[in-house]
Amino acid sequence: MGESISEATILNWLKNVGDTVEEDETILEVATDKVDSEVPSPCHGVITEIRYQPNEVVKIGQVIAVINADAVSGSSHQKSEETETTIERSQKKPEPSVQIESRGTSSSDFKNLNLGENDGFLSPLIISIAQKENITIEELQSIAGTGVEGRIRKSDVMKYLKNRKYPLPSRPQPQSPKSTYNAPPISFIEGKDRIVEMDRMRKMIADHMVYSKHTSPHVTSYIEVDVTNIVNWRNEVKVKFQEKHGEKLTFTPIFVEAVAKAIQEYPMINVSVDDKKIVVHNDINVGMATALPNGNLIVPVVKNADEKNLLGLAKRVNHLANSARNNALKPDEIQGSTFTISNVGTFGSLMGTPIINQPEVAILALGIIKKRPEVITTETGDEIAIRSMMYLSLSFDHRVVDGFLGGSFLRKVGDELEAFDINREI
């Protein structure tokens, strides 16, 4: 699994106890965050034990099944035994694995809290949830644990998050009168209306969106961009591009390229907020908000977008888009984004006001490309011409991004798109 994954849910076993499996043969399916993944067998052998059943949640590093590897040689059998012993030993003495990328409290703070004298041991899962949900040490210490010796369990943290009050108590805020507003009841007509339960992904999307709006004061800026050169160039070369490289040429890699160049000039847009500190990311990893066939949303990531040429970007964008549609994304392909784009124009929207993909501080929405009469300046003066125009809208976190930075970055993206070279080679 990816580095930031702390647990997985068993979805389905494709093999049973007693079945013979080949090395790299898929033996089960698991779910992590938004991605369902297939788990291959690490060796050839016979499954002798299955320790977890479908719908059970397992922490990373735990043994989920035992395979009796064929004793091809004494060395291979010895290696198998040593591997199992190492796994069992690591289970008896668990050590926290804290990611450096934290939100709200640094990883060193959590380590100190774990090792010091406190109300109880914090498991790696609890630490991971705390960092993901921006829970501070003070908040963790205020949660009543229901585990052995008062230890905090996942259910305790989830219950706390469900009833979490904003502003958070660990961040002193001016006192304000308690609201007496009661949410209006939802009418339900038996026989006409129906109730649809949110699936696992939709619940996570909902929680993530609410968390983002609670965390970041959103501001949105807009500009209009003339992308006539891009449209004409793509129409001219897209067939040749596919014949030469075997890849479709969409607008997305061109947009990703422009964003990566703009981030290089304005690196403070490529940051995250860690309490009162700003984490400036060196890598430029561009997430692409992608609609799935079932109506849900996922954000695969183009890693190190600034290091790829247009062909490399096209290959990566196509791979991620196809994997998303076929539910074949790997966990590490949806992690690590530092900036996100959302092509709302795909659905005919003129523009959008996107919600920031935490823990990033900005997200760019790309509107539909429409032909319109525009006044342009030529060598002979002003003229009215048919141009392909598009709106760009940037939502940014006003805690760390002010109007100057947000507007300058947005204008730079527009300038990169408008300055596209129509003589560019493929």
Side-chain angles (χ1 to χ4, degrees):
M1 300 294 103
E3 290 183 0
S4 65
I5 299 297
S6 59
E7 64 179 15
T9 302
I10 305 294
L11 291 181
N12 181 40
W13 284 96
L14 305 179
K15 297 291 182 177
N16 300 312
V17 173
D19 288 350
T20 299
V21 293
E22 301 293 334
E23 183 175 357
D24 293 330
E25 181 181 4
T26 301
I27 56 177
L28 77 152
E29 298 172 333
V30 300
T32 60
D33 290 342
K34 298 180 181 179
V35 175
D36 296 344
S37 304
E38 295 180 342
V39 178
S41 172
C43 62
H44 173 81
V46 176
I47 298 178
T48 60
E49 183 182 356
I50 291 178
R51 299 186 180 180
Y52 293 91
Q53 299 304 314
N55 298 322
E56 289 191 275
V57 178
V58 187
K59 294 179 183 178
I60 296 301
Q62 288 185 307
V63 176
I64 57 177
V66 177
I67 299 175
N68 182 14
D70 289 343
V72 178
S73 64
S75 60
S76 64
H77 182 67
Q78 182 180 4
K79 182 177 180 181
S80 175
E81 288 182 344
E82 290 174 352
T83 301
E84 185 171 344
T85 302
T86 302
I87 294 172
E88 294 295 330
R89 186 181 298 116
S90 67
Q91 285 186 303
K92 292 176 182 177
K93 295 181 66 177
E95 294 182 1
S97 176
V98 183
Q99 300 300 316
I100 297 301
E101 181 189 23
S102 61
R103 307 164 193 170
T105 306
S106 67
S107 57
S108 59
D109 290 336
F110 279 110
K111 287 180 180 177
N112 293 335
L113 179 62
N114 241 2
L115 299 177
E117 295 180 1
N118 56 76
D119 293 337
F121 173 81
L122 295 178
S123 70
L125 174 60
I126 298 301
I127 293 173
S128 175
I129 295 173
Q131 291 181 309
K132 180 179 179 181
E133 300 294 343
N134 200 27
I135 301 176
T136 64
I137 288 175
E138 292 80 8
E139 288 183 84
L140 273 180
Q141 291 175 322
S142 70
I143 299 175
T146 59
V148 179
E149 297 181 353
R151 289 185 179 181
I152 299 174
R153 304 167 60 190
K154 178 182 178 181
S155 58
D156 300 326
V157 180
M158 292 297 103
K159 181 179 178 181
Y160 170 77
L161 288 172
K162 184 177 180 181
N163 301 300
R164 198 180 192 189
K165 305 298 182 183
Y166 292 89
L168 302 178
S170 59
R171 297 174 176 82
Q173 299 285 341
Q175 295 294 324
S176 59
K178 185 177 180 181
S179 174
T180 58
Y181 175 77
N182 294 320
I186 299 175
S187 62
F188 180 81
I189 303 176
E190 194 71 37
K192 289 186 177 181
D193 300 333
R194 61 192 180 97
I195 295 175
V196 177
E197 290 288 339
M198 290 187 184
D199 59 23
R200 177 173 54 87
M201 183 181 290
R202 177 49 55 185
K203 289 177 182 177
M204 287 189 293
I205 293 172
D207 291 341
H208 194 58
M209 294 299 98
V210 171
Y211 169 72
S212 183
K213 294 294 286 188
H214 276 303
T215 300
S216 300
H218 283 56
V219 176
T220 306
S221 294
Y222 306 85
I223 62 170
E224 191 175 24
V225 179
D226 186 340
V227 292
T228 304
N229 288 345
I230 295 176
V231 172
N232 292 343
W233 179 82
R234 175 180 173 272
N235 289 339
E236 183 179 342
V237 306
K238 62 181 181 181
V239 175
K240 295 179 182 178
F241 190 92
Q242 185 164 6
E243 291 175 349
K244 182 177 181 179
H245 303 295
E247 296 285 345
K248 289 184 178 180
L249 180 60
T250 65
F251 289 111
T252 302
I254 300 174
F255 298 150
V256 172
E257 181 183 56
V259 166
K261 290 180 179 179
I263 289 176
Q264 287 178 304
E265 185 160 333
Y266 295 97
M268 292 307 293
I269 208 80
N270 197 51
V271 305
S272 297
V273 179
D274 182 6
D275 196 14
K276 299 302 181 183
K277 300 182 289 293
I278 300 175
V279 180
V280 184
H281 302 294
N282 183 60
D283 293 336
I284 298 177
N285 301 332
V286 180
M288 312 182 306
T290 305
L292 298 175
N294 63 3
N296 283 326
L297 181 72
I298 200 165
V299 185
V301 183
V302 180
K303 303 286 181 66
N304 302 115
D306 56 316
E307 299 177 3
K308 296 177 172 62
N309 60 17
L310 189 60
L311 174 59
L313 290 173
K315 287 182 176 180
R316 195 61 190 159
V317 166
N318 291 341
H319 165 76
L320 293 172
N322 291 331
S323 297
R325 296 187 192 102
N326 297 315
N327 197 29
L329 284 169
K330 298 177 181 178
D332 61 353
E333 291 179 327
I334 62 166
Q335 297 172 12
S337 62
T338 59
F339 185 92
T340 297
I341 63 173
S342 178
N343 193 349
V344 299
T346 302
F347 315 108
S349 295
L350 191 63
M351 63 179 72
T353 55
I355 297 177
I356 297 169
N357 183 24
Q358 298 292 331
E360 299 161 22
V361 298
I363 180 172
L364 178 70
L366 305 148
I368 190 173
I369 298 175
K370 291 179 69 69
K371 289 184 178 181
R372 292 200 301 271
E374 292 289 325
V375 177
I376 62 174
T377 301
T378 67
E379 295 178 355
T380 59
D382 291 342
E383 296 180 0
I384 296 178
I386 302 299
R387 309 296 291 179
S388 295
M389 306 298 294
M390 179 177 68
Y391 285 104
L392 303 182
S393 50
L394 180 76
S395 291
F396 53 88
D397 186 339
H398 214 340
R399 293 179 300 172
V400 292
V401 181
D402 292 324
F404 174 78
L405 174 58
S408 299
F409 171 78
L410 183 58
R411 186 62 262 172
K412 178 60 178 176
V413 175
D415 291 344
E416 289 290 339
L417 294 175
E418 291 186 335
F420 189 87
D421 184 7
I422 59 175
N423 297 315
R424 185 170 184 171
E425 297 292 333
I426 63 171

